[in-house]
Amino acid sequence: MFAEVIVDIAHTAVDRRFTYRIPDDLPVAPGHHVFVPFGQGDHLKEGFVVALKSTSDYPEIKDIARIIEPYPVLLPEQIALAEWMKDAYHCLFVDALRLMIPAQLRGLRIKEKKVRTVMLAEGVDPDAALAALERAPMQRQVFEIVARIGAEASVPDLNRFCPGCTPAVNALIKKGYLVEQSETVFRKPQKYRIHTPSYALTDAQVKAADAVRQAVEAGSGGVLLLHGVTGSGKTEVYLKAIEDCLSLGKHAIVLVPEISLTPQTVGRFTDRFGDRIAVLHSRLSAGERFDEWRRIRLGLADIVIGARSAVFAPVERLGLIIIDEEHESSYQSEAQPPYTATEIAARRVKTLGGALLLGSATPSLLSYSRALSGKYTLLTLPDRIAGRPLPTVETVNMRDELLMGNNSIFSDKLTERLSECLAAGQQAMLFINRRGYATFVSCRSCGYVLKCDNCDISMTYHKSELRTRCHYCGATKPLPKECPNCKKPFIKQFGVGTEQVEEAVHRLFPTVRTLRMDTDTMREKGSYEKLLSAFHRGDAQILIGTQMIAKGHDFPNVTLVGIVAADTTLNLPDYRSPERTFQLLTQVAGRAGRDNLPGRVVLQTYEPNHPIIRFAKAQDYVGFYQYEIMERKKLLYPPFSLFLRIVFTDRDERTAEQGCLSYAKSLETALLETLGDEGTQDLLLLVAAQAPIARISGYARYQIVVKLLRTRRLPAAVKTITSFHDLHRDVCAEVRLEINPQEMF
Ligand code: ADP
Ligand code: ZN
């Protein structure tokens, strides 16, 4: 027998199937992780067996050296998925395969964790042994314990009973009284059980869960979109759907944004399903991640809850994938290959005969339009649980505040609501939207903006370090005393950060305890969980934070949400800015009044009449959708078209520019040829220019933006671009093709 092996080297030149002979005594199956001799000198390299065959055309065939893990690390379905990804994302086969296994498995970096155990040796008479051990009290004591247990005892446990007994254990083994074994243990991430009562589901929940069960039963790869307002009980629907799925003998994966994978969320699932749950996310230690993955692969866990990459979990008999907060951009990977978890999930349930459930209070425009057109099944939870009202949202025009002489961070309204909330012994959250250009440094006199020397990006001021920092390359600079341009002393930081908000709170309410959550305070492992549980316990009355506090958290005592600046992202140069702003504002507002206490939201803005702000105030998703989809149609933005971007980077400005321009010219010719006479209109845009961020880390950047109308000719046009790209990717140091890019700058 022969095996086709993908060698674990990420290089275009070797990204193909190599044939090896399978030695007679080696039980190789598709999916095995193996060592094979490769290249000159036949050094052993890791590889993945992707297929078996009984003949081979090559005369000189080498043998597979050995199997690494005793079981195949890839399921046949995963191999097929990787093969599909290779074309769909235009990536290396091996890059796709690598996503299916924990990184630690490669390079033999992590081993199973074994513990030493001992038990009585066969034929030993305990009484005689105890008598013989009269003069060695520690050995005698250990022996007594092991004899009493009458089964395997782990050496760490024995040490707990009699500290420092390992030498005694060793002596007993040497004397033949005990025999040694070792047993694999699984490192388990901390999984609290958060006890949640089993509710009688509401009618709307029952209806939704029923529809999901039918889709799982039908097993035809159907996609369902659950649109439920914040606090409408979506999680309860997920739990019921999983229960039904298990009772049909099938297994499930639940994806949650990394940031929402808190002990609270995991706890609700663990409480319901116990040890059958495996958790996968990036805050686990390498050993924990490896062991959780192995528990799934070996069938010890059949429900997986995890972040984006958990969509690849090796779950067999997969019947249901759930993607919570499906609109989140974190489901799109920025690394190679640039996959989207939703696409992978849809593909897996289609090939495996399962169902995909997408859930959100603010579905992406794309998903909602698919639901309206009947491609997805639309399920709705229109109301909050137990007739709880959605929070009341008040908007404050910050221009008016300024005119009235209030130039502080907080409007009078927000200050008033804060004191009411605190006086009532309740909690508040203050949200600062830090994307956009929140805390840049500029000169009041000449308008000069302090930028990074390596990147075309404004520096962000960090008060705690008294320095400015570039968020692209990490370079720092002191805050200059005078403007480098006009030499006047009017240079200072603008915008609001979490630190300034915290200071402002302390000035207004000196005795109030606050917690601050942003990327700066969250660097340490475990700090995220610590801070959330501190707030949950009521250690502080106000939680101040960025995007991180917007998602999924359920704090029953929070009755007030203050949105300090609602419109900072509204005018970013990206067609998705209105959608993202609406989603974010709705999510943040949804944190208020989730339990029995009614919630309030104060939304501070400079553009209170902007349609997006008005829909956010009314928490009217459908109104927002109808407005925004018309805007997209007018300007032929996605979903009516597809964007592609090709980024050219090089140390040398001219090389990047020339590369970009010549590429653009020939690409246009190739595209027009593919589209043919009747399809010329499909090419809505093809511009080559300096990128909006002209330099990053000292590299010059140019880009081509292509916009194609969505017609039946689109797949052929995309194929033309990817094939063209393969032949022309060497015009400068790096040429990167992005299909539906997440950022345009
Ligand atoms: P969502 O995910 O839609 O924002 P959750 O699933 O977190 O909402 O539910 C909101 C709250 O309502 C939670 O505290 C949950 O325990 C509770 N809840 C959910 N379903 C029911 C029900 N049928 N009866 C009573 N309480 C429920
Ligand atoms: Zn920089």
Side-chain angles (χ1 to χ4, degrees), residues 1-5 7 18-28 32-39 41-49 61-69 108:
M1 284 297 275
F2 302 92
E4 295 185 346
V5 174
V7 180
F18 290 92
T19 304
Y20 285 88
R21 205 180 69 84
I22 302 175
D24 293 336
D25 52 346
L26 214 57
V28 172
H32 259 124
H33 191 201
V34 292
F35 269 126
V36 289
F38 189 76
D42 280 347
H43 291 298
L44 290 189
K45 293 277 178 213
E46 290 174 39
F48 302 98
V49 175
I61 288 246
K62 296 176 209 164
D63 280 9
I64 288 183
R66 66 184 177 88
I67 291 176
I68 302 174
E69 291 282 309
L108 311 181

Side-chain angles (χ1 to χ4, degrees), residues 452 454-455 470 472-475:
C452 174
N454 314 314
C455 313
C470 168
Y472 273 76
C473 72

Side-chain angles (χ1 to χ4, degrees), residues 104 110 187 189 281-290 525:
Q104 296 79 16
I110 291 270
R187 282 152 289 207
H281 59 78
S282 65
R283 293 192 304 278
L284 301 183
S285 74
E288 285 167 350
R289 212 172 318 156
F290 177 60
K525 185 179 149 96

Side-chain angles (χ1 to χ4, degrees), residues 708-737:
L708 287 160
L709 194 64
R710 219 170 256 284
T711 64
R712 62 188 162 78
R713 288 175 293 270
L714 184 68
V718 172
K719 185 93 194 97
T720 300
I721 298 178
T722 54
S723 322
F724 181 91
H725 183 69
D726 278 344
L727 299 173
H728 298 83
R729 61 196 310 167
D730 53 358
V731 291
C732 64
E734 198 200 330
V735 185
R736 199 177 62 238
L737 168 68

Side-chain angles (χ1 to χ4, degrees), residues 452-455 459 467-477:
C452 174
D453 296 332
N454 314 314
C455 313
M459 301 289 276
R467 286 179 81 80
T468 64
R469 180 185 285 277
C470 168
H471 280 184
Y472 273 76
C473 72
T476 67
K477 285 196 219 188

